Amino acid sequence: MTASTFLPPSSFPPSSSSSVNNSSSECKMDNTSLRLLLAVFYSLFFAVGLVCNLFALWVFLFMHPKRNSVRVFLINCAVADLVLLACLPFRVSYHARGDKWVLGSLMCRLVGNAFYVNMYVSIMLLGFISLDRFLKLRGKGRAKRGFGGTLCGRTRLRTWAVCGVLWGVSFLFFIFLVIKAKTKEGDSGKCFHYKKSKGIPYLNAVVVFLFWVVFAMLIISYAKIAARLLQVSRDRPDLPNAHKYVRTAKKSFFVLFLFTVCFGPYHAFRPVYIHSQLSDDLSCGYERLMDCTNELVLLLSAFNSCLDPVMYFLLSGSVRRTAVQALGHRLCSWACMDASAKLAHSSTTEFRRPSMAVSLPGTAPNTPSATPRTSICAMNATLRRAGATMLTPTGH
């Protein structure tokens, strides 16, 4: 799709300025050098993010028994990331086809706006989490519960209400963007590209301002949380968990670091991008530069969906322990099954093939189970029957 047509003022003669505008009006967004890069990275983000967020959601819903406001926010954040990740295969297909969109105008608007809306839902939820943790740490009385509030001792009513309002406003915003967008977008074979506009950029400017408000709130909240934890660790070293407070403070700054790396470049570049959409005297080369830069910084924003599960487990020690226990149980089950199969194969082999015997208390010298190839588990079983002392593996 070409950019919007710019007509020079009638007072200007048809000079070089007019030719610039004409070339700009016919400018085609061609990101040939970025197609492969975008397709590969969006594919990786989709695969890794899908596995990690599904595992996180499984832990939150079925494995983690603790009910608190942070857990509710993390569940909603994982859902928002999964919806965003569902948009990535469409982008992969678009770039793999040579930036050709074949699904029509409606799907172009749905996928494109769903990506952006869920990105900002994640940003708002991260802001709510930081504010909730700050209120719980520094608040007094009812404020110390943060966004908490229970119903029948189970549901965090206030937290779910905040998330419900956020999702409701986001859905209305999504519907507005789908209806407001140009109907021809996607029909000409182009989607997710730079385009001129007069109304949407002002709305984007409001969203960018909202991001910087949330970002400032994160900086203040996590800085005060870290300062408070460091002060308690220094003033009360006799507390049972005092030695863990320094590590918790560092984790808070790591969360802020991830937020800055993923979303900071995109929103720092956004004002320049919005200004170019509102300008009528830009060259085609400058518009292509805006398009390429926007794609690169947007790639960093999509990368956040892969890093969010890491942040989930950093934010909550109980969630982290539950996840480790769940993975450890699965891995142990697989390892034990594999060890049992190997032991059965080894026992069958040793029974058929004679070997030099090792005498154990209460066993015959040439018993097949008393061979050098027998595992520690088999030896311990023999020793239990013989009433002897159990063997322990070397180094444990």
Side-chain angles (χ1 to χ4, degrees):
M1 176 183 290
T2 60
S4 300
T5 304
F6 306 113
L7 297 177
S10 57
S11 58
F12 289 170
S15 59
S16 60
S17 175
S18 177
S19 63
V20 169
N21 284 334
N22 289 333
S23 64
S24 178
S25 65
E26 299 174 357
C27 183
K28 295 183 179 180
M29 298 298 115
D30 188 9
N31 294 329
T32 306
S33 58
L34 292 179
R35 289 173 187 169
L36 180 60
L37 176 70
L38 294 175
V40 170
F41 274 96
Y42 279 134
S43 299
L44 292 175
F45 294 166
F46 173 75
V48 176
L50 183 65
V51 172
C52 293
N53 281 280
L54 284 177
F55 174 73
L57 197 60
W58 174 65
V59 171
F60 295 148
L61 294 177
F62 303 108
M63 299 296 297
H64 187 230
K66 190 174 181 180
R67 302 291 189 270
N68 56 26
S69 55
V70 172
R71 175 180 173 273
V72 174
F73 285 131
L74 293 180
I75 290 174
N76 285 270
C77 196
V79 172
D81 284 338
L82 287 173
V83 177
L84 186 147
L85 289 168
C87 301
L88 296 187
F90 295 96
R91 286 182 170 265
V92 173
S93 174
Y94 174 70
H95 295 301
R97 291 174 179 269
D99 290 350
K100 299 294 182 181
W101 184 258
V102 296
L103 299 179
S105 174
L106 179 61
M107 281 300 297
C108 176
R109 300 197 304 271
L110 290 175
V111 173
N113 290 301
F115 180 92
Y116 285 102
V117 169
N118 282 275
M119 181 179 73
Y120 283 103
V121 169
S122 298
I123 290 173
M124 293 300 300
L125 288 170
L126 295 177
F128 288 151
I129 290 173
S130 67
L131 182 60
D132 180 78
R133 299 185 75 195
F134 175 72
L135 292 176
K136 288 181 178 179
L137 184 66
R138 299 296 298 270
K140 295 181 181 180
R142 296 181 64 181
K144 199 173 184 63
R145 294 180 299 178
F147 288 98
T150 59
L151 178 65
C152 301
R154 292 184 178 183
T155 307
R156 296 285 163 178
L157 178 61
R158 195 179 309 172
T159 309
W160 282 112
V162 170
C163 294
V165 171
L166 177 62
W167 282 109
V169 173
S170 301
F171 180 75
L172 294 177
F173 188 60
F174 169 73
I175 296 298
F176 170 78
L177 291 176
V178 171
I179 297 175
K180 183 70 176 179
K182 295 180 179 180
T183 56
K184 293 182 179 180
E185 185 180 5
D187 289 338
S188 61
K190 287 292 183 180
C191 193
F192 317 128
H193 67 292
Y194 176 90
K195 51 187 174 293
K196 292 288 186 179
S197 179
K198 293 299 182 183
I200 298 297
Y202 293 106
L203 186 60
N204 290 337
V206 175
V207 175
V208 171
F209 174 77
L210 182 63
F211 165 81
W212 289 113
V213 171
V214 175
F215 184 68
M217 183 174 64
L218 258 72
I219 294 177
I220 295 173
S221 299
Y222 282 119
K224 289 186 176 295
I225 289 172
R228 178 65 175 171
L229 293 174
L230 293 175
Q231 180 183 359
V232 173
S233 177
R234 182 176 60 253
D235 297 342
R236 298 290 303 277
D238 55 321
L239 292 177
N241 294 325
H243 64 286
K244 297 182 180 179
Y245 290 163
V246 177
R247 185 170 56 186
T248 304
K250 293 180 179 179
K251 290 177 182 178
S252 298
F253 283 109
F254 180 71
V255 173
L256 186 61
F257 170 77
L258 292 182
F259 193 87
T260 304
V261 169
C262 293
F263 296 124
Y266 176 78
H267 289 89
F269 170 73
R270 202 64 180 167
V272 181
Y273 185 85
I274 293 173
H275 179 266
S276 70
Q277 288 182 305
L278 298 173
S279 300
D280 294 340
D281 55 350
L282 300 179
S283 65
C284 182
Y286 187 82
E287 291 182 4
R288 287 179 177 175
L289 177 63
M290 293 294 100
D291 187 44
C292 292
T293 307
N294 184 71
E295 290 292 343
L296 291 176
V297 293
L298 189 62
L299 196 65
L300 286 176
S301 298
F303 184 44
N304 180 77
S305 59
C306 298
L307 297 179
D308 272 348
V310 178
M311 182 191 59
Y312 302 156
F313 301 124
L314 287 177
L315 285 174
S316 178
S318 59
V319 172
R320 184 169 59 253
R321 288 190 295 271
T322 303
V324 170
Q325 291 173 2
L327 284 177
H329 177 72
R330 298 291 180 184
L331 293 176
C332 181
S333 299
W334 295 336
C336 290
M337 291 175 61
D338 185 62
S340 300
K342 290 182 178 179
L343 179 60
H345 176 73
S346 176
S347 300
T348 304
T349 303
E350 293 301 329
F351 181 78
R352 294 179 178 177
R353 184 177 61 188
S355 179
M356 185 177 294
V358 176
S359 299
L360 295 174
T363 61
N366 294 326
T367 303
S369 62
T371 61
R373 296 173 62 87
T374 307
S375 65
I376 293 295
C377 295
M379 291 182 179
N380 284 334
T382 305
L383 291 173
R384 281 196 297 270
R385 291 194 300 268
T389 305
M390 299 288 289
L391 295 176
T392 57
T394 305
H396 290 273

